[in-house]
Amino acid sequence: VSELNKLLAKFFKVLADPTRLAIIEFLEKGEKCACEIHPIFSQTQSTISIHLTKLVNAGILSFRQDGVRKMYSIKDRQVLKVLEFTKELIQKWNEEKIQELKNLGS
């Protein structure tokens, strides 16, 4: 197994969490303070902080200190293209599956 495949698996493993995907979607519009991110989720602040740390460690998000505030942003917007392509692929698969089920009923 190549190192690139190991990194790719790690990348997708980090993305394989609905909360982390929602955090990325929330940050699509731009940089946000952790204090703005925590309240939109029905999870504890510490749980959201763990998600943010995992996204930063994977190189998906970056952060900077602004006084006492921690500001998070998407490190490379190419990740949004990966997510959009993946969503389109899954929608296509779902549509094909629905069509197969309709054809079975005919």
Side-chain angles (χ1 to χ4, degrees), residues 62-102:
S62 60
F63 76 92
R64 66 180 180 85
Q65 287 293 142
D66 182 23
V68 295
R69 299 178 343 145
K70 223 175 195 181
M71 305 297 292
Y72 288 89
S73 61
I74 296 171
K75 188 172 186 174
D76 185 335
R77 298 196 61 84
Q78 291 282 50
V79 74
L80 298 174
K81 291 180 182 180
V82 170
L83 294 176
E84 185 60 34
F85 174 79
T86 305
K87 286 178 186 177
E88 289 172 8
L89 185 61
I90 290 170
Q91 286 173 339
K92 178 183 172 199
W93 289 347
N94 284 337
E95 289 167 8
E96 289 173 357
K97 188 59 95 181
I98 289 168
Q99 190 58 46
E100 287 175 20
L101 292 172
K102 285 180 181 177

